[in-house]
Amino acid sequence: MTTTFTPAPTRPRALTPSRTTATATRVLRQLTHDPRTIALLMLIPCVMLFLLRYVFDGSPRTFDGIGASLLGIFPLITMFLVTSIATLRERTSGTLERLLAMPLGKGDLIAGYALAFGTLAIIQSALATGLAVWFLDLDVTGSPWLLLLVALLDALLGTALGLFVSAFAASEFQAVQFMPAVIFPQLLLCGLFTPRDTMHPALEAISDVLPMSYAVDGMNEVLRHTDMTATFVRDTLIVAGCALLVLALGAATLRRRTA
């Protein structure tokens, strides 16, 4: 009697460029059919900066002081909001469930989503930075390209946070509810309203572990220094590292919910 052994199915590689690109292309194709989402991503940060500039029309130095910080904060908030809702929609519709049943690694999925939303983040950050520097006369001592770099990293961080929190929401309304829990504390403690070293020591300690604090610090370094400083490099590396860490945590939440 001959026994036939069926080989166990091979698990997909953690990250395959072709599968990652295919996932990103699918997500971008879906987003192009939702013009309201595209408008939210591309126009809202620009509109907010435009309004802010003329709110402080009589005090341009005030706009210079907070405009650079908000140039990084606005993309983070909008990318968080759009990414969390869009990803949750795919979770609840069963799209992610079907994708996970295919020979597609978790790394391909999370990297594909990050690549798709990251592409939009590049466009969004470039539009907001260009508007602030060349049309709204944001006075920056350093290179505008460094502002763009920090704005892009902030947008990618917002994307990573949105992918992560979508795993813990059961509806789009719940996804929006995560904003006060995830974004607002960082907004209050990042140093936008008052220097972090003047806060209560307990709050200062909390702000030291929040990524938005380093995003604001990085923007302020560009605002005040002509050259790239060691502090700026440290801040950008921390923001980038936080984005990668949260993406890894997001990949860990990708699992099938049915047997």
Side-chain angles (χ1 to χ4, degrees), residues 31-104:
L31 287 173
T32 57
H33 298 300
D34 190 352
R36 289 176 296 181
T37 298
I38 298 297
L40 173 65
L41 284 172
M42 301 304 163
L43 298 181
I44 292 301
C46 294
V47 171
M48 293 297 101
L49 286 169
F50 185 85
L51 290 176
L52 184 69
R53 168 62 182 83
Y54 290 101
V55 164
F56 296 109
D57 190 40
S59 180
R61 293 182 65 86
T62 303
F63 175 71
D64 293 336
I66 66 173
S69 298
L70 292 176
L71 186 60
I73 292 173
F74 285 154
L76 190 155
I77 293 175
T78 56
M79 291 305 298
F80 171 85
L81 183 61
V82 171
T83 304
S84 60
I85 292 177
T87 308
L88 176 66
R89 191 176 299 168
E90 296 221 324
R91 289 179 185 269
T92 55
S93 66
T95 300
L96 283 179
E97 184 81 3
R98 292 191 294 271
L99 290 173
L100 289 174
M102 300 170 61
L104 188 68

Side-chain angles (χ1 to χ4, degrees), residues 163-187:
L163 288 170
F164 176 64
V165 303
S166 67
F168 304 99
S171 66
E172 295 181 10
F173 178 68
Q174 287 186 6
V176 174
Q177 286 179 314
F178 273 102
M179 180 173 287
V182 176
I183 300 298
F184 287 180
Q186 297 192 65
L187 186 62

Side-chain angles (χ1 to χ4, degrees), residues 114-205:
L115 180 60
F117 287 107
T119 300
L120 297 175
I122 292 174
I123 302 173
Q124 180 198 69
S125 300
L127 288 174
T129 303
L131 175 71
V133 174
W134 287 294
F135 291 94
L136 300 181
D137 298 323
L138 179 68
D139 188 10
V140 180
T141 302
S143 171
W145 295 106
L146 296 181
L147 280 183
L148 176 59
L149 173 62
V150 181
L152 175 59
L153 290 176
D154 292 344
L156 293 176
L157 176 62
T159 297
L161 289 170
L163 288 170
F164 176 64
V165 303
S166 67
F168 304 99
S171 66
E172 295 181 10
F173 178 68
Q174 287 186 6
V176 174
Q177 286 179 314
F178 273 102
M179 180 173 287
V182 176
I183 300 298
F184 287 180
Q186 297 192 65
L187 186 62
L188 293 174
L189 300 177
C190 69
L192 176 64
F193 301 104
T194 185
R196 292 194 291 125
D197 56 8
T198 64
M199 297 178 184
H200 188 280
L203 295 180
E204 183 182 359

